[in-house]
């Protein structure tokens, strides 16, 4: 099975600028995690910029179907529950920002990712295509699937390189 659940890693980095939802696409984690995604990932800046050694993301296995993603922020580290999901033929990663869970709002993120030649590329769901005001999981899934062929469905790509253990 071709694994494309690498998106969750980038999602953590992109969640600050990505589309955030009050409801999940999928409530239950049922797809096994990809061990290739676990480890420490260094953000790769746009061409010519220097690497910031503090822009790292750690992905840890939590269960057979879930990861914990730890991403540094200016104040404290951000912690996410991440798990691969599949909607029809779309393989995605859903993240739940754990610090926002107590507020019960603005806590879910959806990404897609690729892992090629050791580079993890993550894109977030585009708020202009699938608006963040959707408050029903079924409606969120339907809207995403209705726009699956839209080339602007995902945006804000970020790239990461896995650091040696």
């Amino acid at each position: 099975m071709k694994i494309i659940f690498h998106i969750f890693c980038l999602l953590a980095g992109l969640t600050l600028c990505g589309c955030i939802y009050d409801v999940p696409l999928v409530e239950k984690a049922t797809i096994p995690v990809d061990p290739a995604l676990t480890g420490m990932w260094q953000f790769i800046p746009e061409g010519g910029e220097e690497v910031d050694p503090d822009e790292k993301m750690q992905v840890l296995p939590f269960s057979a179907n879930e990861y914990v993603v730890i991403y540094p922020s200016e104040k404290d580290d951000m912690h996410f529950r991440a798990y691969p999901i599949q909607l029809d033929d779309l393989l995605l990663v859903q993240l739940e920002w754990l610090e926002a869970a107590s507020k019960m709002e603005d806590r879910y993120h959806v990404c897609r990712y690729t892992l090629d030649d050791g580079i993890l590329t993550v894109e977030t769901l585009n708020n202009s295509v699938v608006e963040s005001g959707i408050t029903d999981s079924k409606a969120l899934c339907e809207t995403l699937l209705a726009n699956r062929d839209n080339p602007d469905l995902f945006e804000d790509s970020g790239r990461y390189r896995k650091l040696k253990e």
Side-chain angles (χ1 to χ4, degrees), residues 128-141:
S128 298
V129 178
V130 180
E131 69 177 84
S132 61
I134 298 172
T135 58
D136 176 72
S137 292
K138 184 177 178 186
L140 183 59
C141 289

Side-chain angles (χ1 to χ4, degrees), residues 71-144:
Y71 192 80
S73 69
E74 291 180 16
K75 285 185 157 187
D76 296 310
D77 289 346
M78 297 174 15
H79 298 85
F80 298 88
R81 170 185 174 233
Y83 51 98
I85 60 173
Q86 185 163 357
L87 296 177
D88 288 347
D89 60 339
L90 295 174
L91 294 170
L92 308 168
V93 171
Q94 180 164 280
L95 287 94
E96 178 182 7
W97 185 23
L98 297 175
E99 284 84 355
S102 62
K103 295 189 302 183
M104 299 303 289
E105 59 185 31
D106 294 341
R107 68 189 226 205
Y108 294 100
H109 307 265
V110 178
C111 297
R112 74 175 174 186
Y113 70 92
T114 57
L115 183 58
D116 292 315
D117 292 328
I119 302 296
L120 176 63
T121 302
V122 176
E123 298 174 297
T124 58
L125 197 54
N126 185 342
N127 188 34
S128 298
V129 178
V130 180
E131 69 177 84
S132 61
I134 298 172
T135 58
D136 176 72
S137 292
K138 184 177 178 186
L140 183 59
C141 289
E142 289 171 353
T143 304
L144 191 151

Side-chain angles (χ1 to χ4, degrees), residues 7 28 36 41 50 67 84 122 139 143:
I7 188 169
K28 194 170 183 182
W41 295 87
E50 293 217 12
Y67 305 93
V122 176
T143 304

